[in-house]
Amino acid sequence: MIEYNITSLSAGKDSLAAALLMKEREVENGILAFADTGNEHELTYEYLDYLESVLPFPLRRVRADFTAAIAARRQMMLSVIAGTHKERTNAKYHWTPETAERALSVLHPTGIPFLDMCLVHGRFPSTKVKFCTIELKIQPMEQQIQNPLLTEGHDIMSWQGVRADESPDRASLVELEWKLTNRASGAELWHYRPIHKWTAEQVFEIARRHGIKPNPLYLMGMSRVGCMPCINAGKNEILEISRRFPQVIDQKEAWEANVSMSSKTRAATFFPARDLGARNAAAIDPSKHGIRGRVEWSKTSRGGTQYDMLRSDSPTELCSSIYGLCE
């Protein structure tokens, strides 16, 4: 029996800190695991290659596969067209043969896990309905790395780069937590959160101590560097993305059109449309309530009603870091 030490490496500051603690403590059987959502920026993929070259542990990349889920979704659409599909009578929106035909036209695997997931759900994840972390990161890690090791009888210590000051939910977590024991093999899985009480400054400091540069996106106004953008992205991040990486906005606009086709409401926006004034799905105008509308909102001053020329026109070549990395 072997005890494996596994860190989920996102190419962000916190997971890097956990990996560097594994290095400092000279743990044995260390593994770095990266869950590729297909929604990361190219700079993050390049940075991940850099980390693979400077960290002493092997890196495994995993991806969620929605091929079977899309096939099942297609079968459901065919049952709608055939008139055999049963829906809840109290459902707010219902599938019709027309909307099912529309969905069938886009329900094909794209090779992009994030987009495929949204096509299956007919919507984008949100802060209130956050299925992306589970389906794109946790489940692939479990299915492709953790479960096979547990089945073989190996214990796992899962090192997690989670800090208490990120959110109330994370603040309630404990540093060391037993999660499960495999019934057949007796192997155990533990979650270890060694930086739970750390600050962001401490996280960047351990990287500096090891001579490892930060993900360049942190120098471009990003507070997080996983998905581009993350569903939790704030106003400043959206503005920086639109100015520095307009192709990302173009991509998300195209995704909104595709996912809208797979939705029974015929409308899907990357960020909640209600935040921009859409009362319901029928009222959604993609140009006003979709990613383009969100970019226009990001150019406004506080309150979202008046354009802020200083925000909109600042040079994109300038370093911009909320963590003080430009000093």
Side-chain angles (χ1 to χ4, degrees):
M1 179 187 296
I2 298 173
E3 179 178 284
Y4 284 92
N5 291 277
I6 302 176
T7 289
S8 175
L9 190 68
S10 68
K13 65 186 190 307
D14 296 335
S15 62
L16 172 60
L20 290 174
L21 281 177
M22 286 207 322
K23 176 184 177 182
E24 287 187 350
R25 297 174 188 179
E26 299 180 342
V27 302
E28 296 181 351
N29 307 309
I31 297 174
L32 306 176
F34 171 67
D36 185 359
T37 70
N39 190 29
E40 282 83 8
H41 192 272
E42 187 59 37
L43 288 174
T44 290
Y45 290 118
E46 293 175 6
Y47 183 70
L48 191 71
D49 292 338
Y50 159 73
L51 292 182
E52 188 175 16
S53 71
V54 297
L55 294 174
F57 308 107
L59 175 64
R60 290 191 56 183
R61 294 169 168 84
V62 299
R63 270 189 157 218
D65 184 354
F66 293 91
T67 303
I70 288 177
R73 194 72 169 173
R74 289 186 60 83
Q75 286 300 313
M76 193 188 88
M77 296 303 108
L78 292 173
S79 71
V80 171
I81 294 170
T84 59
H85 176 67
K86 303 295 183 182
E87 285 194 86
R88 293 183 294 111
T89 56
N90 62 341
K92 187 174 181 180
Y93 298 96
H94 294 274
W95 286 105
T96 66
E98 179 189 5
T99 53
E101 289 281 5
R102 286 163 54 91
L104 282 172
S105 70
V106 296
L107 278 171
H108 304 284
T110 67
I112 304 172
F114 188 97
L115 178 55
D116 286 350
M117 173 191 69
C118 295
L119 289 172
V120 169
H121 285 275
R123 60 163 296 168
F124 291 90
S126 68
T127 54
K128 291 185 177 181
V129 189
K130 193 177 180 181
F131 48 82
C132 48
T133 300
I134 294 174
E135 297 185 18
L136 295 176
K137 295 188 176 184
I138 295 176
Q139 290 178 349
M141 292 284 192
E142 291 177 344
Q143 295 164 1
Q144 300 175 41
I145 297 180
Q146 289 185 358
N147 290 347
L149 291 175
L150 292 170
T151 299
E152 293 171 3
H154 305 301
D155 293 334
I156 295 175
M157 184 67 71
S158 175
W159 295 54
Q160 299 181 343
V162 173
R163 293 186 300 108
D165 65 6
E166 292 180 291
S167 70
D169 287 342
R170 294 194 170 191
S172 68
L173 297 173
V174 296
E175 183 174 316
L176 183 63
E177 179 182 18
W178 171 85
K179 292 303 292 183
L180 61 87
T181 299
N182 183 282
R183 291 184 178 180
S185 69
E188 295 186 338
L189 169 66
W190 290 78
H191 285 179
Y192 178 40
R193 305 177 180 100
I195 66 168
H196 189 243
K197 302 302 182 185
W198 285 28
T199 64
E201 173 55 33
Q202 288 176 295
V203 166
F204 283 111
E205 175 55 35
I206 191 174
R208 284 192 291 267
R209 190 164 72 242
H210 286 264
I212 296 180
K213 60 187 180 183
N215 187 313
L217 292 173
Y218 285 128
L219 308 178
M220 302 178 184
M222 307 302 134
S223 65
R224 54 184 62 81
V225 297
C227 285
M228 173 62 76
C230 173
I231 59 173
N232 294 310
K235 194 173 191 177
N236 289 338
E237 286 178 281
I238 295 170
L239 178 61
E240 290 288 356
I241 292 169
S242 68
R243 292 165 58 243
R244 295 177 185 271
F245 313 116
Q247 68 277 12
V248 170
I249 304 302
D250 294 339
Q251 180 192 59
K252 298 308 176 290
E253 184 177 41
W255 288 9
E256 287 181 332
N258 275 4
V259 178
S260 293
M261 294 280 283
S262 72
S263 172
K264 69 168 68 174
T265 68
R266 307 185 188 187
T269 56
F270 193 90
F271 295 103
R274 65 178 177 275
D275 294 350
L276 297 180
R279 298 182 304 278
N280 51 49
I284 291 177
D285 178 344
S287 65
K288 294 181 180 179
H289 307 117
I291 192 68
R292 294 290 176 192
R294 186 67 58 151
V295 168
E296 292 306 305
W297 165 80
S298 75
K299 299 175 183 177
T300 63
S301 57
R302 187 173 182 179
T305 58
Q306 185 172 355
Y307 278 100
D308 186 334
M309 298 304 295
L310 293 177
R311 287 174 57 82
S312 302
D313 296 337
S314 56
T316 56
E317 66 271 12
L318 294 179
C319 181
S320 175
S321 170
I322 68 170
Y323 299 108
L325 301 178
C326 301
E327 299 173 355

